[in-house]
């Protein structure tokens, strides 16, 4: 539109060109065309001129009329002049726009001149048109530039205003944004313009307490999540302490594999420690070693030849082989209940252990607590109530407290060794422990269950009365000896090494020395040692070579009904026979026993005097005979049978 509104000069140029062109009546000559080219006309311009001059006249009303109507670039029609030629060619003229007729005189010569000048005029018109167009272009460009600049200014002012609003909106957003690491958006900002903008609602992040950790961190739109620090549960252990950002890390306790043993037990802060399983002692190494026992790792005492003597007896897994091994290798000094496995490592039982008594206490002076070799280590096999409180008469054979429950006819217990009762303590009642069938022995001891015995000045430091001896070899068990009706008579009384009075140490054999000392002592220690209930000081008779300690013993003389005990029958009976105990004179059964008077000739467990098998009071579990007094005062107070095996390393 801007171009068309500024086209007046161009229109004039075009109109002029059209008028000149419409005056042509013939085609251009070659010279004329060459001349146009020389003047700078383009081939396209020249062709347009040729096309114009070659138009044919048309006939209308007897006149040859040629008209040219031009249309400008803006769509406006330009009316040129109309030329008129008479039919006879006598005159030529033109009709103007207003209808006026103009007659040209001597038109032919004029026409020729017009043709020649027309080309010059066209060229001049072209040049003038070019100049006008160039000026017009500059003007149009300038005007366009001014118009564009105005538009740009307006646009820029609008953009600047918009940018200012946007900038202020961003500033507002920045000023009202939640503080990073300190706050989160409880609700976000809203509005896209400065006018509609509403800031976000900010809340400070929750701070975890000292006993909490950050389970989930806060985000720009959520609060941090805190949880209480927890301890590891039972069956787990702590792998890592809790931190401000993590809970206590726990792991489940492992278990040792079937081919492993536990070296270290699991704790609250460590897992179990396992090692390849070792079930036996390493030979060549004496002392404490760790081995697997029943799936548990325990510390045991091993001999140099690889024998396992067990643990300290404090639990089933730590069972010792015997009371003696526990006493010697773990230095135990407390009497009480311990676990021992004896002849079967896989089958430990609880037994009562005497960890202090030496045996024949009259001769052991002072404190022997640390004498681990000679004193203590005794395993209780059975206990039988005595005159302190046993039941007699119709209750003579009552299992718990009958006076005669362990008499010579008690096959179930003495012969077969069936355990019963409270057999792992020293309460005053009848009882038998499994050790009766399982504990090997060299030493045998009768010991009082209480300390209500007569003490002499020489053994005031010793707590219990006792009578103890040692056999030459180790036997599998007391039950095995009695079941086999095996007469064992080689027992020797136990005494402290090199501590007997000089009078006892002089003369003939040990038993004779003891007999001699008993006969001449103001205190008959033997009667005290066997827990005799009488106040009489009974002595042992001479000659001393007939004194024996062991199994199935009897004294001299004879009673028809006293030859059977614990299911074992013997040809000769004596006045009194026992399953376990002491007797004299049996090696010479034909010897005249007369004249011995007031001497203890037999005493022990499970026997009786003469007609004891008749079920009368002579059938006490503990009973004996002293020559010349029959069965008077031949019973004992509460007493227990103990053994130990000194061949155990």
């Amino acid at each position: 539109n801007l171009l068309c509104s500024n086209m007046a000069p161009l229109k004039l140029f075009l109109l002029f060109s059209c008028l000149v062109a419409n005056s042509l009546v013939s085609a251009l000559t070659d010279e004329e065309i060459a001349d146009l080219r020389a003047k700078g006309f383009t081939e396209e311009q020249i062709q347009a001129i040729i096309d114009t001059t070659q138009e044919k006249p048309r006939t209308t009303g007897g006149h040859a009329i040629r008209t040219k109507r031009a249309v400008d670039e803006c769509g406006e029609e330009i009316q040129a002049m109309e030329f008129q030629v008479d039919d006879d060619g006598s005159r030529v003229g033109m009709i103007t726009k207003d209808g006026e007729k103009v007659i040209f005189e001597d038109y032919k010569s004029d026409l020729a001149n017009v043709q020649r000048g027309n080309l010059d005029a066209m060229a001049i018109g072209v040049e003038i048109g070019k100049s006008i167009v160039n000026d017009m272009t500059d003007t149009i460009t300038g005007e366009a530039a001014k118009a564009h600049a105005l538009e740009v200014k307006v646009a820029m002012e609008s953009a600047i205003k918009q940018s200012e609003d946007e900038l202020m909106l961003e500033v507002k957003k920045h000023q009202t944004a939640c503080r990073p690491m300190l706050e989160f958006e409880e609700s976000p900002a809203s509005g896209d313009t400065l006018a509609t903008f509403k800031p976000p609602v900010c809340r400070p992040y929750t701070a975890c307490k000292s006993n909490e950790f950050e389970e989930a961190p806060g985000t720009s739109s959520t609060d941090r999540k805190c949880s209480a620090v927890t301890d590891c549960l039972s069956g787990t252990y702590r792998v890592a302490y809790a931190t401000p950002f993590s809970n206590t890390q726990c792991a489940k306790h492992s278990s040792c594999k079937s081919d492993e043993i536990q070296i270290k037990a699991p704790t609250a802060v460590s897992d179990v420690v396992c090692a390849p399983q070792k079930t036996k002692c390493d030979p060549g190494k004496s002392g404490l070693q760790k081995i697997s026992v029943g799936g548990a790792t325990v510390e045991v005492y091993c001999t140099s030849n690889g024998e396992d003597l067990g643990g300290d007896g404090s639990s089933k897994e730590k069972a010792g082989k015997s009371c003696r091994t526990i006493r010697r290798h773990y230095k135990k000094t407390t009497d009480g209940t311990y676990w021992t496995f004896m002849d079967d490592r896989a089958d430990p039982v609880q037994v009562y252990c005497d960890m202090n008594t030496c045996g024949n206490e009259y001769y052991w002076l002072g404190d022997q607590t640390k004498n681990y070799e000679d004193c203590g280590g005794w395993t209780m096999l059975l206990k039988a109530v005595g005159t302190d409180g046993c039941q007699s008469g119709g209750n003579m054979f009552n299992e718990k407290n009958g006076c005669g429950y362990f008499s010579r006819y008690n096959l179930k217990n003495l012969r077969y060794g069936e355990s019963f009762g409270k057999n792992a303590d020293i309460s005053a009642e009848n009882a038998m422990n499994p050790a009766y069938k399982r504990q090997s022995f060299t030493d045998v001891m009768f010991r009082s269950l209480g300390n209500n015995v007569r003490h002499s000045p020489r053994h005031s430091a010793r707590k219990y009365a006792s009578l103890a001896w040692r056999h030459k070899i180790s036997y599998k068990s007391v039950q095995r000896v009695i079941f086999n009706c095996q007469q064992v008579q080689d027992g020797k009384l136990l005494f402290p090494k090199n501590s007997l009075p000089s009078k006892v140490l002089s003369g003939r054999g040990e038993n004779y020395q003891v007999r001699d000392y008993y006969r001449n002592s103001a205190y008959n220690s033997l009667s005290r040692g066997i827990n005799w209930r009488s106040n009489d000081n009974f002595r042992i008779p001479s000659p001393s070579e007939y004194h024996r300690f062991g199994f199935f013993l009897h004294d001299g003389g004879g009673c028809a009904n006293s030859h059977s005990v614990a299911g074992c029958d013997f040809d000769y009976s004596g006045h009194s026979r026992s399953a376990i105990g002491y007797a004299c004179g049996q090696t010479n059964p034909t010897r005249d026993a007369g004249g011995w008077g007031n001497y203890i000739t037999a005493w022990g467990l499970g026997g009786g005097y003469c007609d004891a098998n008749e079920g009368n009071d002579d059938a006490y579990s503990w009973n004996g005979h002293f020559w010349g007094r029959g069965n008077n005062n031949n019973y004992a107070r509460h007493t227990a049978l103990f053994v130990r095996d000194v061949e155990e390393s």
Side-chain angles (χ1 to χ4, degrees):
N1 292 334
L2 181 62
L3 179 62
C4 292
S5 62
N6 291 277
M7 286 293 290
L10 182 59
K11 282 184 178 181
L12 179 61
F13 161 71
L14 292 175
L15 178 60
F16 177 80
S17 299
C18 290
L19 290 174
V20 173
N22 284 332
S23 68
L24 298 179
V25 295
S26 63
L28 297 179
T29 65
D30 291 338
E31 291 80 2
E32 292 172 338
I33 293 172
D35 188 47
L36 288 173
R37 287 177 178 149
K39 293 181 182 296
F41 284 84
T42 66
E43 293 298 324
E44 184 179 356
Q45 292 171 336
I46 294 172
Q47 185 62 44
I49 295 171
I50 292 172
D51 291 341
T52 303
T53 59
Q54 286 180 343
E55 288 183 345
K56 300 298 182 181
R58 56 187 177 85
T59 300
T60 304
H63 297 280
I65 301 174
R66 187 175 45 177
T67 62
K68 179 66 176 180
R69 303 187 74 83
V71 178
D72 64 15
E73 293 179 17
C74 298
E76 292 185 7
E77 186 179 78
I78 303 173
Q79 185 175 357
M81 290 170 257
E82 185 181 277
F83 292 87
Q84 178 178 314
V85 179
D86 289 340
D87 292 337
D88 57 1
S90 60
R91 52 182 183 175
V92 175
M94 68 176 181
I95 300 173
T96 65
K97 183 178 180 182
D98 299 330
E100 181 182 355
K101 293 182 179 180
V102 179
I103 303 299
F104 298 108
E105 299 293 340
D106 195 13
Y107 73 91
K108 291 183 179 180
S109 60
D110 290 337
L111 183 59
N113 292 331
V114 168
Q115 282 183 313
R116 287 190 295 270
N118 192 45
L119 293 175
D120 293 334
M122 287 184 69
I124 294 170
V126 168
E127 292 300 326
I128 294 172
K130 285 182 179 180
S131 176
I132 293 171
V133 168
N134 289 336
D135 292 341
M136 240 176 67
T137 300
D138 292 339
T139 301
I140 292 169
T141 302
E143 292 298 325
K146 291 178 180 179
H148 180 65
L150 180 60
E151 291 176 358
V152 169
K153 179 180 179 182
V154 172
M156 287 183 64
E157 288 177 350
S158 176
I160 291 171
K161 180 65 169 69
Q162 182 179 353
S163 297
E164 288 178 349
D165 290 347
E166 291 175 353
L167 180 61
M168 290 304 295
L169 178 62
E170 292 302 317
V171 170
K172 195 70 173 178
K173 288 181 179 179
H174 178 74
Q175 290 175 340
T176 60
C178 298
R179 293 173 296 171
M181 308 301 293
L182 298 176
E183 297 175 327
F184 68 96
E185 287 185 357
E186 187 175 63
S187 60
S190 62
D192 297 330
T193 66
L194 186 62
T196 62
F197 175 75
K198 291 183 179 180
V201 177
C202 299
R203 292 286 183 267
Y205 287 115
T206 300
C208 295
K209 300 177 182 177
S210 59
N211 62 343
E212 295 178 331
F213 70 97
E214 184 180 278
E215 184 175 355
T219 68
S220 61
S221 59
T222 60
D223 195 5
R224 69 165 50 92
K225 182 179 179 181
C226 299
S227 296
V229 172
T230 58
D231 295 327
C232 294
L233 302 175
S234 176
T236 65
Y237 66 99
R238 186 179 65 232
V239 176
Y241 287 99
T243 71
F245 305 101
S246 64
N247 196 7
T248 307
Q249 296 184 39
C250 306
K252 186 178 180 180
H253 282 141
S254 305
S255 298
C256 293
K257 300 178 182 177
S258 58
D259 59 347
E260 294 179 327
I261 60 174
Q262 180 176 296
I263 299 300
K264 185 178 179 182
T267 68
V269 295
S270 64
D271 198 6
V272 63
V273 178
C274 305
Q277 190 176 49
K278 183 177 74 171
T279 59
K280 297 181 180 180
C281 293
D282 293 330
K285 182 182 178 181
S286 177
L288 296 176
Q289 297 182 29
K290 289 184 177 181
I291 67 171
S292 176
V293 178
T297 300
V298 297
E299 192 173 57
V300 301
Y301 189 90
C302 301
T303 64
S304 58
N305 63 1
E307 182 183 5
D308 171 17
L309 298 182
D312 62 5
S314 59
S315 67
K316 189 174 183 178
E317 293 77 16
K318 297 180 180 180
K321 185 175 183 181
S322 68
C323 294
R324 177 172 169 79
T325 61
I326 295 172
R327 160 76 172 168
R328 290 188 67 206
H329 300 301
Y330 294 93
K331 311 304 180 186
K332 298 297 182 179
T333 60
T334 302
D335 299 343
T337 302
Y338 292 82
W339 286 89
T340 65
F341 60 82
M342 297 169 285
D343 60 344
D344 187 353
R345 189 67 169 88
D347 187 24
V349 297
Q350 288 184 297
V351 300
Y352 182 85
C353 295
D354 181 329
M355 295 299 192
N356 292 282
T357 300
C358 303
N360 303 320
E361 298 303 277
Y362 180 82
Y363 295 103
W364 296 86
L365 307 179
D367 186 4
Q368 299 294 326
T369 303
K370 300 299 179 64
N371 187 349
Y372 302 110
E373 182 65 29
D374 299 319
C375 299
W378 297 94
T379 299
M380 187 181 77
L381 306 185
L382 62 85
K383 55 184 180 179
V385 293
T387 57
D388 304 58
C390 66
Q391 293 183 349
S392 58
N395 294 319
M396 189 73 174
F397 303 105
N398 177 272
E399 179 181 271
K400 182 175 181 180
N401 54 13
C403 297
Y405 189 72
F406 286 105
S407 69
R408 61 183 175 180
Y409 290 116
N410 190 345
L411 301 181
K412 182 174 73 171
N413 300 120
L414 292 182
R415 184 171 179 81
Y416 298 109
E418 295 184 16
S419 57
F420 71 95
K422 298 175 64 176
N423 53 36
D425 61 35
I426 56 174
S427 57
E429 60 180 79
N430 296 320
M432 175 171 281
N433 192 277
Y436 180 79
K437 296 176 66 173
R438 297 176 54 186
Q439 178 61 57
S440 63
F441 71 96
T442 56
D443 298 355
V444 180
M445 177 177 71
F446 296 146
R447 199 211 79 179
S448 62
L449 292 179
N451 59 2
N452 56 338
V453 296
R454 292 174 296 166
H455 293 289
S456 69
R458 294 187 59 81
H459 67 260
S460 59
R462 312 309 301 157
K463 186 175 182 180
Y464 301 108
S466 63
L467 173 65
W469 65 87
R470 177 170 297 167
H471 293 286
K472 293 180 179 180
I473 63 173
S474 174
Y475 293 91
K476 180 176 175 60
S477 70
V478 169
Q479 185 268 337
R480 179 62 60 180
V481 172
I482 292 180
F483 183 85
N484 292 334
C485 301
Q486 188 175 356
Q487 289 183 290
V488 180
Q489 307 172 3
D490 60 353
K492 298 291 185 179
L493 292 172
L494 293 175
F495 294 108
K497 298 178 178 66
N498 303 320
S499 62
L500 286 173
S502 58
K503 185 176 182 180
V504 176
L505 294 174
S506 63
R508 292 174 289 179
E510 183 182 82
N511 279 343
Y512 182 84
Q513 297 167 15
V514 174
R515 184 285 317 261
D516 190 52
Y517 186 72
Y518 283 164
R519 291 186 67 180
N520 294 281
S521 172
Y523 299 94
N524 190 318
S525 63
L526 182 59
S527 62
R528 290 188 172 88
I530 62 177
N531 204 17
W532 202 268
R533 77 172 186 177
S534 173
N535 290 325
D536 295 329
N537 294 325
F538 298 114
R539 302 171 181 174
I540 59 175
S542 60
S544 62
E545 58 265 27
Y546 297 141
H547 296 248
R548 297 290 184 267
F549 297 89
F551 295 82
F552 299 113
L553 305 176
H554 62 85
D555 65 357
C559 294
N561 298 321
S562 63
H563 58 81
S564 177
V565 61
C568 298
D569 291 321
F570 301 95
D571 293 337
Y572 190 79
S573 65
H575 283 121
S576 183
R577 176 183 292 279
S578 62
I580 312 170
Y582 153 81
C584 70
Q586 68 182 62
T587 56
N588 186 359
T590 62
R591 179 181 177 82
D592 183 5
W596 284 5
N598 294 343
Y599 293 112
I600 300 173
T601 57
W603 191 86
L605 173 70
Y609 175 75
C610 289
D611 58 352
N613 63 327
E614 296 297 327
N616 58 25
D617 285 351
D618 293 330
Y620 272 52
S621 296
W622 299 101
N623 64 80
H625 171 235
F626 53 91
W627 201 270
R629 290 197 174 183
N631 64 351
N632 185 34
N633 293 331
N634 65 348
Y635 312 128
R637 299 178 178 88
H638 301 319
T639 304
L641 173 66
F642 291 81
V643 298
R644 69 184 178 188
D645 191 346
V646 296
E647 293 188 8
E648 293 176 332
S649 300

